[in-house]
Amino acid sequence: MLVKKRFLFIILDVEEYNMAEKKTSRFERVEMPKQPPYIRRRNFAEVALGYTPEMAVKEAKRCIDCKKPVCIDGCPVEIDIPGFIRCIAAEDFSGSIKILKEKNCLPAVCGRVCPQEEQCEIKCILGKKGTPVAIGRLERFAAEWEASQGKIELPEIKLNTGKKVLVIGSGPAGITVAGDLILAGHDVTMVEALHEPGGVLTYGIPEFRLPGKVVSREINYLQQLGVKLVCNYVVGKTRSLKKILEEYDAVFLGTGAGLPWFMEIPGENLNGVYSANEYLTRVNLMRGFEYPKSYTPVKRHKRVAVVGGGNVAMDCARTALRLGAEEVYIVYRRSQQELPARLEEFENAEEEGVIFHFLTLPEKLIGDENGWLKEIECSRMKLGEPDQSGRRRPIRIDGSEFIMPMDACIVAIGNSPNPIIPQTTPELEVSKNGTIVVDESTGKTSLDRVWAGGDIVTGAATVILAMGAGRISARSMHAYLSTI
Amino acid sequence: MFEIVERKMIVPNLHLLVVHAPDVVEEIQPGQFVIVHAGEGSERIPLSAADWDHETGTLSIVFMEVGTSTGRLALLEPGDAIPTVVGPLGKPTEIDHFGTVICIGGCFGMGSIFPVVRALKEKGNKVITIMEGRSKNLLYWEEKLARYSDRVIKLTRDGSYGYKGHIKKGDDIIRETGIKPNRVIANGCMTLSYKTTQEYAHFDVPVMVTLNTIMIDGTGMCGVCRCTVNGEMKFACVDGPEFDGRLVDWEELAKRRQQYVGEEAFLVHHSGCGGI
Ligand SMILES: Cc1cc2nc3c(=O)[nH]c(=O)nc-3n(C[C@H](O)[C@H](O)[C@H](O)COP(=O)(O)OP(=O)(O)OC[C@H]3O[C@@H](n4cnc5c(N)ncnc54)[C@H](O)[C@@H]3O)c2cc1C
Ligand SMILES: Cc1cc2nc3c(=O)[nH]c(=O)nc-3n(C[C@H](O)[C@H](O)[C@H](O)COP(=O)(O)OP(=O)(O)OC[C@H]3O[C@@H](n4cnc5c(N)ncnc54)[C@H](O)[C@@H]3O)c2cc1C
Ligand code: SF4
Ligand code: FES
């Protein structure tokens, strides 16, 4: 069965590749082949298939190697973008990955999930006349090329300093700190509460957008460098931060924004109502999509409403389709213009058949006699004046209530910082939103020898920002460790 | 991996599991639980701590074989290992000098109430422990509990040991003695927790019960363990698992726990055939 499916992909791949070949000019980017919507909406394999070397070289040659490369300004970690693209254009793929890795330790991840369209690519000069250089796709290509070579070069590690560092949380922030500090010669241990490392990259972002093997490759790399990984360890519960500080010279908190928000409307505890985290965790971390081959059950609902408009909402909706749902809705209270999800993910979701209800607000979840969700009562909204976030504020239209029959509702309206460490460490300064307060230029917290970064500091943000924050902390931690 | 030191059936269907988990027991307190993986790919299931030993770094759990994961646990032998034992999770039971405390254990709760009883006694409380089971052969750890209790009341539904009756009988006995408890704490299945709340609420003191919600991560990340307490949404894994039963929305809790009944039954019947 599995073999047959693979075979089908291969044939489609070739067709898609050929099609992509045809329609490019200097001002148009080389399209990246994707699984066609009618097929991918029912499988968990990766949607975007990546460039071939020929495509990558062709796309790279579009870059005009600007004197003042504005794209770099858009990159939160300031990758030498024209530099790595130039290497690809010259077919020096190993040179290109070297340049990428100078600034970004997770290019295979960022090439896939970074919002390039609002960071580097939006700045690209070619965007003014046509489409910007596909920087993200090229980044992904270089990383995949390296992985396909089988042997990943391990950089030389300086002398062991004997200084002990504990990195708490194994998401992108923690991975960055662990990587930087091990290379600086420190003794690094990374602990993770769950049974698998990777943070949101593992439990949240679905397989079809970021395959698990990409993340485990990066974790393996860290372990090869000498990082000790301990899963099933909840700091604040297994051991208090205070005790940990007796044993380690420096500690980094990268515990993420893992506490799901609910809407606080009636009926939210009905069966069939999930937080996005629960739904995605069941499917990704617990591999529910293989159930009953895996052990954690996941319901295969027929009609599913996902509340929210970010990447998380798109991921839930597309996961529900892949689990066999007949109708999947995104219910979002503002309009398409305000949708926070990446454009690419919105388009992917739409192509796959997700139905969008914009300007719609759930008011009440209504259950049957057994406590299962039966229908959702919603109101229509209109947009008023801009609020603090600069987006126009949604206003309820009175009397516009209507009912949608629904088997499941997934609440994807955001997450707060994970509270376990702040709750068990009263000395640690937190903001009223529960984020840890740090000095922005160093990542230092109010506690001596403790740094923090990523979603735990900013609230739910992005992979690259978490990595950027990790890098800032790592630099400051290294400076400190060098003095003791 | 976490090595199994001992696994034996102590009474029909209830097993004692002793596992080597030195990190977990380092700071553990009464009322906390762990999440375990019975084997590769298993569900993550919550189980309460029934005892521990700091010297050997071992944790004891009493579990009831009810489904797939507990079924896998029941097959473990000393020397085997399981991939996950994470914890201690949840808020510890509040231990203080309350005065007189009634501690009730049923089913696996006769085990998990033990650390609570011990800690309360060490704090100088008068502890009355009630053990509840269907029949004599389902009661265990009487001696252990008696060591830290001022009185142990045994209840069996068929009257084969101690007093005949369910949890209500315990209340009758306490009332006859004229004792006024300052707190009631119950560990065990949902029915026991619910009935204890019903029968002991008249004392007008907190009736602390452990809520056995469905859980996944146990760190407040997924929200599947949410329940309504005093009209507010709580996550049992981080805000609990112990709550004052008088404030719990029991009807909702009962329904939420039924969410996967269909799937779990399906799985038990189909395990081994490779699935569909
Ligand atoms: C479904 C989904 C889709 C997303 N899509 C995108 C996208 O397309 N592009 C993008 O840029 N961003 C995306 N994001 C956001 C991005 O994933 C996060 O901003 C990023 O992962 C934050 O990294 P972090 O290292 O700060 O924390 P996390 O990735 O959250 O990792 C924190 C880790 O710490 C662990 N932890 C928590 N508490 C403790 C403790 N006490 N002890 C030990 N360990 C602990 C957690 O279990 C977790 O593994 C998405 C997020 C989600 C949920
Ligand atoms: C904080 C906490 C502490 C617990 N402590 C213990 C303990 O010390 N000893 C012990 O034996 N059990 C304890 N439980 C209950 C235990 O977690 C469940 O019995 C276990 O998850 C069942 O797993 P299974 O795979 O064997 O059964 P499944 O195949 O998952 O289910 C079998 C049956 O049990 C029901 N069920 C599923 N999940 C739960 C659940 N979380 N609670 C109750 N019923 C459930 C199913 O609906 C089904 O009818 C505790 C639960 C919680 C939340
Ligand atoms: S802005 Fe565009 S064209 Fe200019 S260097 Fe960057 S990627 Fe190349
Ligand atoms: S078990 Fe996931 S939040 Fe409680």
Side-chain angles (χ1 to χ4, degrees):
Chain A
M1 183 61 196
L2 198 67
V3 177
K4 244 194 240 161
K5 257 196 209 152
R6 281 276 146 73
F7 184 57
L8 197 61
F9 283 160
I10 293 166
I11 294 177
L12 284 163
D13 289 0
V14 175
E15 268 177 27
E16 291 271 308
Y17 275 51
N18 291 341
M19 257 165 51
E21 274 293 315
K22 275 179 225 146
K23 44 173 191 211
T24 44
S25 79
R26 178 92 202 178
F27 289 110
E28 252 176 87
R29 56 169 58 176
V30 178
E31 282 310 317
M32 176 167 51
K34 283 191 206 172
Q35 279 194 64
Y38 65 95
I39 297 208
R40 70 181 194 236
R41 70 197 291 271
R42 293 295 190 220
N43 71 60
F44 277 91
E46 196 171 9
V47 167
L49 302 166
Y51 279 157
T52 60
E54 296 72 34
M55 291 173 177
V57 171
K58 190 166 174 199
E59 177 63 17
K61 285 185 173 158
R62 288 179 61 223
C63 172
I64 53 176
D65 207 353
C66 303
K67 273 232 171 61
K68 263 208 204 151
V70 281
C71 49
I72 299 183
D73 302 339
C75 175
V77 295
E78 296 171 1
I79 292 174
D80 174 7
I81 293 170
F84 96 82
I85 293 183
R86 204 182 304 130
C87 285
I88 296 182
E91 298 188 33
D92 172 15
F93 303 142
S94 96
S96 92
I97 189 72
K98 256 199 203 105
I99 296 179
L100 277 165
K101 285 205 162 167
E102 275 168 21
K103 290 289 167 78
N104 182 339
C105 59
L106 299 174
V109 174
C110 292
R112 286 175 166 87
V113 305
C114 263
Q116 293 100 7
E117 68 283 357
E118 50 187 71
Q119 294 181 163
C120 49
E121 293 178 7
I122 198 175
K123 302 248 164 146
C124 172
I125 224 83
L126 293 189
K128 300 213 162 53
K129 283 240 174 119
T131 46
V133 173
I135 302 171
R137 294 173 183 178
L138 290 172
E139 182 178 11
R140 167 182 168 157
F141 166 78
E144 288 308 312
W145 177 85
E146 185 192 37
S148 72
Q149 299 307 297
K151 213 177 112 233
I152 293 197
E153 262 179 61
L154 291 181
E156 203 186 323
I157 298 186
K158 295 174 198 137
L159 218 63
N160 189 339
T161 64
K163 307 283 161 56
K164 289 181 77 182
V165 177
L166 188 72
V167 173
I168 306 173
S170 61
I175 290 175
T176 307
V177 174
D180 285 4
L181 293 182
I182 196 86
L183 289 178
H186 304 297
D187 177 354
V188 182
T189 306
M190 181 161 72
V191 293
E192 167 56 48
L194 295 170
H195 60 279
E196 297 270 359
V200 168
L201 307 182
T202 297
Y203 77 74
I205 304 181
E207 184 77 15
F208 55 84
R209 212 149 66 77
L210 179 62
K213 67 169 197 299
V214 174
V215 183
S216 45
R217 210 161 64 202
E218 302 302 340
I219 302 277
N220 282 343
Y221 176 70
L222 281 186
Q223 287 178 297
Q224 281 176 31
L225 289 178
V227 173
K228 283 165 266 177
L229 173 69
V230 181
C231 289
N232 302 313
Y233 199 101
V234 188
V235 174
K237 292 285 177 189
T238 307
R239 188 181 288 178
S240 65
L241 185 55
K242 212 167 147 196
K243 264 242 185 108
I244 282 171
L245 283 167
E246 291 169 12
E247 196 182 322
Y248 291 89
D249 298 306
V251 171
F252 176 78
L253 306 175
T255 48
L259 184 77
W261 288 343
F262 284 89
M263 298 179 280
E264 301 184 18
I265 61 173
E268 260 181 311
N269 287 359
L270 286 168
N271 294 344
V273 182
Y274 306 83
S275 74
N277 282 356
E278 181 191 345
Y279 196 68
L280 293 172
T281 298
R282 278 187 187 275
V283 178
N284 301 331
L285 180 70
M286 305 310 294
R287 306 200 76 71
F289 66 89
E290 290 172 345
Y291 181 84
K293 248 167 69 194
S294 64
Y295 288 87
T296 303
V298 53
K299 297 266 178 202
R300 306 205 167 222
H301 299 285
K302 293 267 179 293
R303 290 170 61 87
V304 180
V306 181
V307 183
N311 287 323
V312 184
M314 303 302 136
D315 285 344
C316 292
R318 297 171 70 197
T319 297
L321 275 179
R322 284 161 174 77
L323 289 174
E326 284 159 15
E327 283 169 40
V328 178
Y329 299 88
I330 292 261
V331 178
Y332 181 54
R333 63 194 180 130
R334 304 183 205 240
S335 75
Q336 192 184 326
Q337 274 74 50
E338 288 81 24
L339 206 67
R342 293 186 61 192
L343 184 64
E344 184 182 334
E345 301 310 332
F346 164 68
E347 286 170 357
N348 279 334
E350 204 172 37
E351 280 176 11
E352 288 167 15
V354 173
I355 304 159
F356 285 78
H357 275 300
F358 292 111
L359 292 168
T360 306
L361 180 77
E363 299 272 13
K364 199 166 152 192
L365 305 176
I366 301 160
D368 65 14
E369 62 282 2
N370 297 319
W372 282 91
L373 179 71
K374 191 172 70 172
E375 46 200 32
I376 305 182
E377 186 185 308
C378 298
S379 285
R380 296 280 183 210
M381 313 292 279
K382 61 182 179 201
L383 292 178
E385 294 300 307
D387 61 13
Q388 300 118 312
S389 69
R391 294 175 303 174
R392 295 177 62 192
R393 189 195 302 275
I395 304 171
R396 176 186 290 111
I397 303 174
D398 286 332
S400 65
E401 295 84 4
F402 67 102
I403 298 267
M404 295 202 286
M406 212 59 74
D407 308 326
C409 176
I410 302 166
V411 184
I413 58 169
N415 286 304
S416 308
N418 191 302
I420 290 185
I421 291 181
Q423 268 172 11
T424 50
T425 319
E427 312 86 293
L428 188 66
E429 192 189 334
V430 291
S431 74
K432 63 177 190 311
N433 304 327
T435 54
I436 295 178
V437 177
V438 300
D439 174 311
E440 261 179 49
S441 60
T442 59
K444 268 188 162 147
T445 68
S446 62
L447 270 183
D448 196 28
R449 296 188 288 127
V450 179
W451 284 256
D455 282 3
I456 185 76
V457 168
T458 54
T462 60
V463 172
I464 192 71
L465 288 175
M467 291 176 54
R471 174 130 304 163
I472 290 172
S473 289
R475 206 174 291 148
S476 165
M477 291 168 84
H478 177 56
Y480 166 74
L481 291 168
S482 312
T483 64
I484 57 168
Chain B
M1 296 294 270
F2 298 83
E3 201 193 316
I4 305 302
V5 178
E6 187 181 356
R7 201 277 313 145
K8 66 170 186 223
M9 201 194 272
I10 44 176
V11 295
N13 232 12
L14 280 168
H15 299 251
L16 170 72
L17 185 73
V18 184
V19 57
H20 187 64
D23 284 341
V24 174
V25 299
E26 192 179 299
E27 296 187 11
I28 199 167
Q29 291 173 63
Q32 290 192 297
F33 65 95
V34 293
I35 285 197
V36 311
H37 256 135
E40 288 304 335
S42 258
E43 260 186 285
R44 294 169 64 96
I45 61 162
L47 297 169
S48 312
D51 203 357
W52 50 82
D53 185 331
H54 290 297
E55 247 154 61
T56 55
T58 53
L59 172 74
S60 301
I61 292 166
V62 176
F63 72 90
M64 175 140 139
E65 193 180 341
V66 293
T68 319
S69 292
T70 45
R72 279 179 100 172
L73 288 178
L75 296 174
L76 293 170
E77 294 297 340
D80 291 346
I82 52 177
T84 299
V85 178
V86 57
L89 302 169
K91 291 200 170 137
T93 301
E94 194 188 335
I95 304 287
D96 208 334
H97 183 80
F98 296 111
T100 303
V101 185
I102 302 177
C103 292
I104 304 175
C107 176
F108 67 81
M110 274 176 259
S112 61
I113 199 79
F114 171 70
V116 177
V117 167
R118 179 173 56 190
L120 284 168
K121 189 71 213 158
E122 284 167 355
K123 267 271 173 192
N125 290 284
K126 179 172 172 167
V127 182
I128 300 173
T129 301
I130 300 181
M131 306 170 68
E132 192 276 331
R134 216 163 353 110
S135 195
K136 180 180 177 187
N137 67 344
L138 293 174
L139 301 189
Y140 58 95
W141 281 18
E142 181 183 346
E143 211 178 289
K144 235 173 128 140
L145 288 163
R147 218 177 304 147
Y148 296 96
S149 308
D150 294 86
R151 180 175 178 191
V152 177
I153 299 172
K154 280 98 49 187
L155 304 174
T156 49
R157 261 166 276 167
D158 62 4
S160 53
Y161 191 51
Y163 297 90
K164 181 175 159 75
H166 198 243
I167 210 71
K168 171 92 186 70
K169 181 73 189 162
D171 174 52
D172 295 342
I173 298 165
I174 307 261
R175 266 203 272 196
E176 277 164 27
T177 61
I179 294 172
K180 273 253 171 257
N182 301 91
R183 182 171 278 245
V184 179
I185 304 175
N187 273 9
C189 67
M190 259 273 289
T191 317
L192 180 96
S193 298
Y194 176 67
K195 288 213 166 134
T196 303
T197 306
Q198 298 295 302
E199 305 297 347
Y200 293 72
H202 68 87
F203 284 117
D204 223 15
V205 298
V207 183
M208 305 308 292
V209 297
T210 303
L211 299 189
N212 298 345
T213 59
I214 296 175
M215 291 189 181
I216 300 178
D217 59 299
T219 65
M221 183 269 279
C222 74
V224 70
C225 61
R226 64 193 187 275
C227 49
T228 304
V229 181
N230 208 8
E232 271 180 53
M233 186 191 285
K234 295 282 179 197
F235 287 4
C237 69
V238 283
D239 301 321
E242 208 177 76
F243 294 100
D244 189 333
R246 299 173 303 167
L247 307 174
V248 170
D249 182 339
W250 290 97
E251 197 186 321
E252 177 188 280
L253 184 69
K255 285 178 178 162
R256 283 192 65 75
R257 279 172 29 105
Q258 298 298 316
Q259 284 185 77
Y260 292 94
V261 168
E263 280 79 2
E264 313 279 23
F266 171 85
L267 198 58
V268 172
H269 294 310
H270 283 253
S271 56
C273 76
I276 40 169

